[in-house]
Amino acid sequence: MRTGQKPGERYVRIVRPHAREFRRSPEGHIVATERVLEPRGPVGRLWTRVKRLVIGPPLSTAQSIHERIPKVKALAVFASDALSSSAYATEEILLALVLAGSAALTYTIPVTVAIVVLLAIVATAYRQTINKYPAGGGSYIVTRDNLGDVPALIAASSLLIGYVLTVAVSISAGVAAITSAVPSLHGFQTHLAVFFIVFMTFANLRGVRESANIFTVPTYLFVASMLLMFAVAAVKLLVFGDLPQAEATALSVVEPLSLFLLLRAFSSGCAALTGTEAISDGVPAFQEPQAKYAATTLLWMAVITGVLFSGISLLAFAYGVVPGHGETVVSQIARLTFGTGPLYYFVQAATMGILVLAANTAFADFPRLSFFLARDGFLPRQFSFRGDRLAYSTGIVALGLLSTTLVIVFSADTHALIPLYAAGVFISFTCSQASMWTRWRRRHEPGWQRGIIINGVGAVTTGLVAIVVAATKFTQGAWMILAIIPLVVLVLYFIHHHYQRVAEQLVLDPKRVQLPRPAGKPIVIVPVPGLHLGVLPALDFARAISESVTAVHVTDDLEGAHRLRQQWEEWDQDVPLVIIESPFRSLIHPLLAYIEARQQDEPNRMVMVVLPEFVPKNWWEWVLHNQSALRLKATLFFHPNTVVANVPYHLKR
Amino acid sequence: MRTGQKPGERYVRIVRPHAREFRRSPEGHIVATERVLEPRGPVGRLWTRVKRLVIGPPLSTAQSIHERIPKVKALAVFASDALSSSAYATEEILLALVLAGSAALTYTIPVTVAIVVLLAIVATAYRQTINKYPAGGGSYIVTRDNLGDVPALIAASSLLIGYVLTVAVSISAGVAAITSAVPSLHGFQTHLAVFFIVFMTFANLRGVRESANIFTVPTYLFVASMLLMFAVAAVKLLVFGDLPQAEATALSVVEPLSLFLLLRAFSSGCAALTGTEAISDGVPAFQEPQAKYAATTLLWMAVITGVLFSGISLLAFAYGVVPGHGETVVSQIARLTFGTGPLYYFVQAATMGILVLAANTAFADFPRLSFFLARDGFLPRQFSFRGDRLAYSTGIVALGLLSTTLVIVFSADTHALIPLYAAGVFISFTCSQASMWTRWRRRHEPGWQRGIIINGVGAVTTGLVAIVVAATKFTQGAWMILAIIPLVVLVLYFIHHHYQRVAEQLVLDPKRVQLPRPAGKPIVIVPVPGLHLGVLPALDFARAISESVTAVHVTDDLEGAHRLRQQWEEWDQDVPLVIIESPFRSLIHPLLAYIEARQQDEPNRMVMVVLPEFVPKNWWEWVLHNQSALRLKATLFFHPNTVVANVPYHLKR
């Protein structure tokens, strides 16, 4: 720092006090006010207006509020994913069993029981995580903390893929609820699904600050509608002694009932467990005492999910519902219970509502996980930037694009997507549980004996289920997930490696590295397309920064070159003109070779290329200009020791 | 020019004599040798190798050969488009008539006769054009010469659209010839068509220098195969007294036979006339005496087209062929004549061959017309650049993309594309004929009385046909063409207007405009993301060109900013650091506001932003860096009086 100056003084000189866009901070730096965001020019104004309309006015970082939400709302926010999966889990079990004919549907009940037991184990295990990671214990964080980078990346990839699938599956299932109720919408499933995803992407770019309230209503409506459905069915059974039966369908036996088929039905039903992790990830959002409340909420979530899922499975069995015919199982049950009246439509609407909300949780989780990954250098930095509305825009847009692709590729068919779904989820469960087990074993914190058993059982169970799911669903799509996870891990690892390598190369020790004495003036080369007013600012600027300026004209038109030389000599300024004939019509290559020749001539001086560029009055006129300049810049960018500057000539009309 | 220097002398100083990439020309400029094209770096080498493989080694401008071709080859080159249209013209007439039931098919013959008469009129009229425009008389050139810009642009737009449709229609019809012979390829029409277009785009980027030879064989094979088919059918008729009949199909009358339907059939058949203009456009390619030979070739083309077209119509009528069933009319005729044997497949292959060649003529015509338009400033300049192989690459690629789009949108269905086709062609015919008429009337050149009648009849006839085609095909797609032509005209006109306005603004009178005295050193602003080695070259460069250098750090992370300030003060170089706090997290806006504040402070000095940029070792690592720098550059580009320079920091690993 120059002597005799206080930190603040210099800025008075640098920024005029009446620059309304800035104010001074007490620490000596300057603070940009909201005024700097004011758009410039008509296009900027239009863009800003559209942006404000779609995603709202910008929020300052200080406005980011760490909302604390009470238990009742928290259940709604975090449980929508888990609860909603009961809307399709039973159907997936039936779809697997039905291959062995109607008689096999009897096994719905034992399979459901097995899954509910699994749910109890996983929920119990995750309560441990909540206690130990009150600041948020997603699989990635817990695994990185205990098992290191590679397992953490496996967990992270499984989760990232899982979130994309959550959106695709939930939205597809939600659309199926609609098309079940309104059959005339059949054939538009993909369109509807894409529409919902696009809508949600924008909603999340706005930032869903009021999320807790938005979530509460549909979640409890869904729970209420399901419980009502169970009650009505129970009353019917008690009063009439039996239940109406679904239309009997002649079922052909496609494959014999086998242990493998039962395991596949079990794997399909495991979709019910997705979303169980959400609460352990979101502990900081709870009111104090956070860990306790979060653990209670998790318990409630598991109980309600278990009840809804078993209830639907029981009713499906009792009604003799067979999946298919373009109508969901829940829709069939609701129709048999309520008839096709207002209550039926209410159930369908509530189902649709909670499924869309479930997708929305992925829109919170995916960007947050990408932020963690970007912060740790595993994803490009853009994922850690927050947009105007404090949302992690890059992650939101990435999730929107990926899930849209998935929905289009799989034509919004829930049943086609499910086999991809559970494998990733259980891999991340396993990583998380194994990490907790390792933690207990290493640290011997109070209660470690109990913890080691709970999380040990959790790890072994979820690991086994992961294997069962992968094996029984392998040919139906799980192989894709098993192929993609290592690929994503590799990409994340590579990005990390790259950032690290760059950081190592860049370390600057302020004590030892000095700026060199100011270097000599650069050699300046000004490529000129001709002699017209557009090149004057470039030549002018070039002469301002160096006395060694050469104008270069590359051409294959010798007559034109001759004319230019005459004009140039007539003009008679002190800038020499070099004409390079290019018999192969290339503009870039001869110029590059010329720059290199000059550089070899004077290896210690920098070469600077000053490009005259047209700035048209209207941005869309831009395609009519500067195409060569753009290519030249792209090429020179990879050229060592060359600096490229653009001197704009602003067209007035 | 400086005193005491000869033009040559200065270059000795500027380029070392041992720079192998250049040689000196006697006129004092330097000439780039083929060495400058040598690729740099592994990516460049790979790209160059791929490019050489696909499109061949580069050709120098001097290597462009104006081939003169004899009449027999010329007929093949220029007539393939016109001749080939007989492969689908009859079918289109039948498809129109068949709506009124089988009885209406009798009208095939009178409709065909009317079209042959029209062909005679148009061919006679174009012989006049050939005589008057031996340097090439496409509609655009002739119309611009006689009627001015707007009619010329109408002709040009009609032609541009027509060429795109030529490719789409010919390739679709060629694919139909294949799928007729090999029914198992049904359903892959679009894939096949896209494949052919892509193949042809690359072939034309290579430059089809051997085109005359490539063309000769399939054209004459097609003519021969058709004549053979006629002969065999005639013999059969003479020997057996009658011809085998196509399977009778029960035809329901969709609409009654009306004048409108007959006119629509006529309009459909007018597709036979497309391509008639080709010869008048290509006179310079003929051997001397050019005009005479070209006129003779045109006569022959018209006669052969007439014979083939009438023959096919006659046979279709005689065999009682009904269009449809996924088999083309020509294929049905060939099958009935030859049976499904080698001769049948020969006819199909020859048809396919000439249709692909017809599409290829559009690949010569579209880029040439775009070149003329670009030369006259109606299209972006890129259309006038010739690529490595002397082909107008931009035009070729544009045609490839546009016709691919069309083929995909219309599922490679000839019948769906035809209604779009003829309207544009006849509009350009009309423009051309009206221009010739105007020319005769104005100039009273020898033979003007005869000319005025011939071209007057031509103009009126083609004009009437244009109206009939537009009216009868309006609802079937011609409306699109009538909507798009004015749109294209507007775009072309706007581009011209823009270039003209720019040129006016740029005129520099060497006698009056001087470079100002070298301007003051610029104010240099170096945005720094932190203190690391990557910013050193930028700071170094900044200090080399000006003594007024400020480093600016924009951030929303106050702790980080505090650390940076400490580091910077510890570093203690003579570059001041300004920290701007950005509560809304925007990097660009505060920097822009800061630049403006500095500019208002010293309005007479240029502001230069020197951006440190990372150049990663591998180009694909680039996505991980510079995203903010890129956005900043894009924004500053539109900012008056600001120069942006990138100082690269080359990562070594």
Side-chain angles (χ1 to χ4, degrees):
Chain A
M1 209 170 76
R2 292 184 199 174
T3 27
Q5 263 189 339
K6 283 192 211 145
E9 256 172 55
R10 145 192 325 153
Y11 310 107
V12 182
R13 184 172 57 80
I14 288 167
V15 183
R16 297 185 309 163
H18 55 279
R20 308 176 312 157
E21 287 91 351
F22 296 104
R23 56 183 178 79
R24 294 266 298 281
S25 89
E27 293 87 34
H29 63 259
I30 57 181
V31 181
T33 63
E34 203 168 343
R35 278 187 213 273
V36 302
L37 301 176
E38 277 166 18
R40 289 134 217 275
V43 181
R45 260 195 291 281
L46 182 69
W47 169 241
T48 307
R49 201 169 298 169
V50 170
K51 203 168 149 190
R52 294 280 151 88
L53 193 74
V54 177
I55 72 164
L59 299 172
S60 82
T61 311
Q63 280 170 278
S64 93
I65 290 168
H66 296 289
E67 251 182 315
R68 298 296 171 100
I69 46 178
K71 266 182 295 182
V72 176
K73 281 190 182 174
L75 183 62
V77 172
F78 292 108
S80 63
D81 187 4
L83 293 180
S84 70
S85 46
S86 57
Y88 47 80
T90 301
E91 177 154 3
E92 291 303 319
I93 298 176
L94 296 178
L95 277 167
L97 290 174
V98 90
L99 294 175
S102 337
L105 293 183
T106 327
Y107 290 93
T108 312
I109 303 304
V111 169
T112 301
V113 169
I115 293 168
V116 171
V117 170
L118 181 62
L119 177 63
I121 294 173
V122 172
T124 313
Y126 265 105
R127 283 167 58 102
Q128 303 289 326
T129 314
I130 289 173
N131 282 318
K132 287 298 154 195
Y133 289 89
S139 282
Y140 166 69
I141 290 177
V142 174
T143 310
R144 192 150 191 248
D145 196 30
N146 295 296
L147 297 178
D149 277 1
V150 174
L153 290 184
I154 295 174
S157 326
S158 313
L159 280 174
L160 289 176
I161 296 167
Y163 292 138
V164 175
L165 281 160
T166 300
V167 175
V169 168
S170 302
I171 291 290
S172 301
V175 168
I178 300 180
T179 51
S180 295
V182 189
S184 60
L185 287 174
H186 265 291
F188 294 98
Q189 282 97 328
T190 310
H191 301 83
L192 283 169
V194 170
F195 170 79
F196 281 120
I197 295 177
V198 170
F199 178 80
M200 262 157 93
T201 305
F202 281 107
N204 279 282
L205 285 175
R206 272 193 88 94
V208 196
R209 292 227 292 157
E210 310 79 4
S211 58
N213 296 320
I214 298 179
F215 274 84
T216 317
V217 180
T219 306
Y220 285 108
L221 277 186
F222 176 71
V223 174
S225 72
M226 288 294 121
L227 293 180
L228 180 66
M229 191 165 81
F230 299 164
V232 170
V235 168
K236 277 193 178 176
L237 188 64
L238 290 173
V239 174
F240 302 109
D242 67 346
L243 284 172
Q245 289 296 298
E247 271 178 76
T249 321
L251 290 172
S252 52
V253 177
V254 179
E255 57 178 285
L257 187 68
S258 61
L259 181 63
F260 187 78
L261 194 71
L262 283 177
L263 286 175
R264 198 153 75 197
F266 171 77
S267 305
S268 302
C270 281
L273 267 82
T274 58
T276 311
E277 198 189 56
I279 292 179
S280 67
D281 213 6
V283 185
F286 280 83
Q287 282 180 338
E288 292 287 354
Q290 291 182 324
K292 184 158 167 275
Y293 276 180
T296 314
T297 310
L298 177 61
L299 182 65
W300 274 103
M301 177 180 92
V303 169
I304 299 175
T305 306
V307 167
L308 296 188
F309 174 49
S310 334
I312 292 168
S313 287
L314 259 174
L315 282 184
F317 177 67
Y319 284 121
V321 166
V322 171
H325 325 295
E327 183 169 6
T328 65
V329 167
V330 170
S331 168
Q332 293 187 50
I333 295 175
R335 234 188 258 275
L336 288 163
T337 309
F338 297 124
T340 310
L343 279 173
Y344 163 75
Y345 287 109
F346 172 64
V347 168
Q348 290 308 101
T351 310
M352 165 70 206
I354 197 165
L355 282 165
V356 169
L357 285 191
N360 205 57
T361 56
F363 270 99
D365 295 340
F366 183 98
R368 184 170 50 205
L369 179 56
S370 337
F371 162 74
F372 286 134
L373 287 167
R375 188 195 59 186
D376 297 344
F378 289 107
L379 272 182
R381 287 200 197 96
Q382 295 97 291
F383 283 94
S384 69
F385 297 151
R386 287 194 287 181
D388 280 358
R389 299 284 295 180
L390 290 164
Y392 297 111
S393 323
T394 313
I396 291 171
V397 171
L399 178 62
L401 289 177
L402 289 170
S403 52
T404 304
T405 312
L406 213 59
V407 157
I408 292 174
V409 169
F410 286 87
S411 312
D413 178 359
T414 316
H415 182 55
L417 287 161
I418 284 280
L420 286 68
Y421 196 10
V425 172
F426 276 92
I427 291 174
S428 82
F429 282 172
T430 312
C431 293
S432 174
Q433 292 305 319
S435 308
M436 283 304 292
W437 181 79
T438 312
R439 184 188 164 108
W440 291 123
R441 217 177 49 111
R442 282 204 193 130
R443 301 205 191 170
H444 288 239
E445 287 160 317
W448 68 272
Q449 297 93 336
R450 204 172 143 262
I452 215 166
I453 292 170
I454 293 176
N455 291 116
V457 172
V460 171
T461 320
T462 52
L464 279 175
V465 174
I467 293 168
V468 168
V469 171
T472 56
K473 295 283 173 182
F474 190 79
T475 54
Q476 290 171 296
W479 65 268
M480 283 189 245
I481 299 306
L482 297 181
I484 292 171
I485 288 176
L487 218 74
V488 176
V489 168
L490 268 179
V491 170
L492 297 178
Y493 195 80
F494 157 76
I495 292 174
H496 190 63
H497 181 65
H498 172 79
Y499 277 136
Q500 238 175 359
R501 216 172 40 188
V502 170
E504 280 164 20
Q505 288 178 68
L506 290 182
V507 174
L508 181 154
D509 180 352
K511 295 235 165 41
R512 305 180 59 179
V513 177
Q514 302 280 317
L515 271 181
R517 316 237 90 225
K521 301 279 178 214
I523 300 170
V524 182
I525 292 168
V526 187
V528 291
L531 180 57
H532 54 61
L533 292 177
V535 303
L536 285 197
L539 290 173
D540 193 20
F541 176 78
R543 291 196 320 163
I545 57 172
S546 177
E547 74 296 331
S548 161
V549 179
T550 314
V552 177
H553 179 68
V554 181
T555 186
D556 66 331
D557 167 14
L558 284 183
E559 274 174 53
H562 192 67
R563 265 200 313 280
L564 176 62
R565 176 184 303 290
Q566 282 179 331
Q567 278 186 302
W568 201 271
E569 282 171 11
E570 195 181 351
W571 195 36
D572 193 20
Q573 304 298 311
D574 60 352
V575 177
L577 171 72
V578 170
I579 289 176
I580 304 181
E581 182 187 341
S582 175
F584 292 87
R585 295 170 305 284
S586 164
L587 167 67
I588 311 277
H589 292 100
L591 203 54
L592 224 59
Y594 179 78
I595 290 166
E596 275 169 13
R598 292 292 302 268
Q599 222 155 34
Q600 279 167 29
D601 238 18
E602 295 177 80
N604 296 323
R605 287 172 76 180
M606 275 230 167
V607 173
M608 181 170 182
V609 177
V610 173
L611 284 174
E613 284 201 86
F614 286 108
V615 181
K617 188 102 176 60
N618 302 301
W619 61 268
W620 33 260
E621 295 169 333
W622 202 81
V623 287
L624 301 174
H625 298 282
N626 301 322
Q627 304 296 337
S628 310
L630 202 70
R631 287 207 310 163
L632 189 58
K633 264 157 73 177
T635 314
L636 288 173
F637 186 66
F638 291 99
H639 212 250
N641 276 325
T642 311
V643 177
V644 183
N646 317 312
V647 181
Y649 179 81
H650 291 265
L651 294 169
K652 278 167 205 75
R653 288 183 290 137
Chain B
M1 212 170 74
R2 292 181 198 174
T3 27
Q5 264 189 338
K6 285 189 209 143
E9 254 171 59
R10 152 192 318 154
Y11 310 108
V12 182
R13 184 172 57 80
I14 287 166
V15 182
R16 296 186 308 162
H18 56 279
R20 306 177 314 157
E21 286 91 348
F22 296 104
R23 56 183 177 77
R24 295 267 296 281
S25 87
E27 294 86 33
H29 65 257
I30 58 181
V31 182
T33 63
E34 204 169 342
R35 277 188 215 275
V36 301
L37 301 177
E38 276 166 19
R40 291 132 216 273
V43 181
R45 260 195 292 281
L46 183 69
W47 168 241
T48 308
R49 203 168 296 169
V50 170
K51 203 168 151 190
R52 294 281 149 89
L53 194 74
V54 177
I55 72 163
L59 299 173
S60 81
T61 310
Q63 279 170 281
S64 94
I65 290 168
H66 295 289
E67 252 183 315
R68 297 297 170 99
I69 46 177
K71 266 183 293 183
V72 176
K73 283 190 180 175
L75 182 63
V77 171
F78 292 108
S80 63
D81 187 5
L83 293 180
S84 70
S85 44
S86 56
Y88 47 82
T90 302
E91 178 155 2
E92 291 303 321
I93 297 176
L94 296 179
L95 278 168
L97 291 175
V98 90
L99 294 176
S102 337
L105 293 183
T106 328
Y107 289 93
T108 312
I109 304 304
V111 168
T112 301
V113 169
I115 292 169
V116 171
V117 170
L118 180 62
L119 177 63
I121 293 172
V122 171
T124 313
Y126 263 106
R127 282 165 61 98
Q128 303 288 328
T129 313
I130 289 174
N131 281 318
K132 288 298 154 198
Y133 290 89
S139 283
Y140 167 68
I141 290 178
V142 174
T143 310
R144 191 150 195 249
D145 195 30
N146 295 295
L147 297 179
D149 277 0
V150 175
L153 289 183
I154 295 174
S157 328
S158 312
L159 279 174
L160 289 176
I161 296 167
Y163 291 138
V164 176
L165 281 161
T166 300
V167 175
V169 168
S170 301
I171 291 289
S172 301
V175 167
I178 300 180
T179 51
S180 295
V182 190
S184 60
L185 287 174
H186 265 292
F188 294 99
Q189 282 98 327
T190 310
H191 301 84
L192 283 169
V194 170
F195 169 80
F196 281 120
I197 294 176
V198 170
F199 177 80
M200 262 157 93
T201 305
F202 280 107
N204 279 282
L205 286 175
R206 271 192 89 93
V208 195
R209 291 230 291 156
E210 310 79 5
S211 57
N213 296 319
I214 298 179
F215 274 84
T216 317
V217 180
T219 306
Y220 285 108
L221 277 186
F222 176 71
V223 175
S225 72
M226 287 294 120
L227 294 179
L228 180 67
M229 192 166 81
F230 299 166
V232 171
V235 168
K236 277 193 178 175
L237 187 64
L238 290 175
V239 175
F240 302 110
D242 70 342
L243 284 172
Q245 288 297 298
E247 271 178 74
T249 320
L251 290 174
S252 52
V253 178
V254 179
E255 56 178 284
L257 188 68
S258 61
L259 180 63
F260 187 77
L261 194 69
L262 282 178
L263 286 176
R264 199 153 75 198
F266 170 77
S267 304
S268 303
C270 281
L273 268 81
T274 57
T276 311
E277 197 189 58
I279 291 180
S280 68
D281 213 6
V283 185
F286 281 82
Q287 283 181 337
E288 294 287 352
Q290 292 182 325
K292 183 157 167 275
Y293 276 0
T296 313
T297 310
L298 177 60
L299 182 65
W300 273 103
M301 179 180 92
V303 170
I304 299 176
T305 306
V307 168
L308 296 189
F309 174 48
S310 334
I312 293 169
S313 287
L314 259 175
L315 282 184
F317 176 67
Y319 283 122
V321 166
V322 171
H325 325 295
E327 184 170 6
T328 64
V329 167
V330 171
S331 168
Q332 292 187 53
I333 295 174
R335 234 188 257 275
L336 289 164
T337 309
F338 297 124
T340 310
L343 279 173
Y344 163 74
Y345 285 108
F346 172 65
V347 168
Q348 289 308 100
T351 310
M352 166 70 204
I354 196 164
L355 282 164
V356 169
L357 285 191
N360 205 58
T361 56
F363 269 99
D365 294 340
F366 183 98
R368 185 171 48 206
L369 178 57
S370 339
F371 162 74
F372 287 133
L373 287 167
R375 189 196 59 186
D376 298 344
F378 289 107
L379 272 182
R381 287 199 198 97
Q382 295 97 292
F383 284 94
S384 70
F385 298 152
R386 287 195 287 181
D388 280 358
R389 301 284 294 180
L390 291 164
Y392 298 111
S393 322
T394 313
I396 291 171
V397 171
L399 177 62
L401 290 177
L402 289 170
S403 52
T404 304
T405 312
L406 214 59
V407 157
I408 292 174
V409 169
F410 286 87
S411 313
D413 178 359
T414 316
H415 182 56
L417 286 161
I418 286 279
L420 285 68
Y421 197 9
V425 172
F426 276 90
I427 290 174
S428 82
F429 282 171
T430 311
C431 293
S432 174
Q433 293 304 319
S435 308
M436 283 304 291
W437 181 79
T438 312
R439 184 188 163 108
W440 292 122
R441 218 178 48 113
R442 281 203 195 133
R443 302 205 192 168
H444 287 240
E445 288 161 316
W448 68 274
Q449 296 93 337
R450 204 173 143 264
I452 216 166
I453 292 170
I454 292 177
N455 290 117
V457 171
V460 171
T461 320
T462 52
L464 280 175
V465 174
I467 292 168
V468 167
V469 170
T472 55
K473 295 283 174 183
F474 190 78
T475 53
Q476 290 172 297
W479 65 268
M480 283 190 246
I481 299 306
L482 296 181
I484 292 172
I485 288 177
L487 218 73
V488 176
V489 169
L490 267 180
V491 170
L492 297 178
Y493 195 81
F494 157 75
I495 293 174
H496 189 63
H497 181 64
H498 173 79
Y499 277 135
Q500 240 175 355
R501 216 173 40 187
V502 169
E504 281 163 18
Q505 287 178 67
L506 291 183
V507 174
L508 181 156
D509 180 351
K511 295 234 166 39
R512 306 181 59 181
V513 177
Q514 303 279 317
L515 271 181
R517 317 235 90 229
K521 301 280 177 213
I523 300 170
V524 182
I525 292 168
V526 186
V528 290
L531 180 57
H532 53 60
L533 291 177
V535 302
L536 284 198
L539 291 173
D540 193 21
F541 176 79
R543 291 198 317 163
I545 57 174
S546 176
E547 74 296 332
S548 162
V549 179
T550 315
V552 177
H553 180 68
V554 182
T555 186
D556 67 332
D557 168 13
L558 283 183
E559 274 174 54
H562 192 66
R563 263 199 314 280
L564 177 62
R565 177 184 303 288
Q566 282 179 332
Q567 277 186 303
W568 202 272
E569 283 173 8
E570 195 180 355
W571 195 36
D572 195 19
Q573 304 297 311
D574 60 353
V575 177
L577 171 72
V578 171
I579 289 175
I580 303 180
E581 183 187 340
S582 175
F584 291 87
R585 295 169 307 284
S586 163
L587 168 67
I588 310 277
H589 291 99
L591 202 54
L592 225 60
Y594 179 78
I595 290 167
E596 275 169 12
R598 292 293 300 267
Q599 224 155 31
Q600 280 167 29
D601 237 18
E602 297 176 80
N604 297 323
R605 286 172 78 182
M606 274 230 165
V607 172
M608 181 170 181
V609 177
V610 174
L611 284 174
E613 282 202 86
F614 286 106
V615 181
K617 188 101 176 60
N618 303 301
W619 60 268
W620 31 261
E621 295 169 333
W622 202 80
V623 288
L624 301 174
H625 298 282
N626 300 323
Q627 306 294 339
S628 310
L630 203 70
R631 286 207 312 165
L632 189 57
K633 264 158 73 175
T635 314
L636 287 173
F637 187 65
F638 292 98
H639 211 249
N641 277 326
T642 311
V643 177
V644 183
N646 316 311
V647 181
Y649 179 81
H650 290 265
L651 293 170
K652 277 165 206 78
R653 286 183 292 141

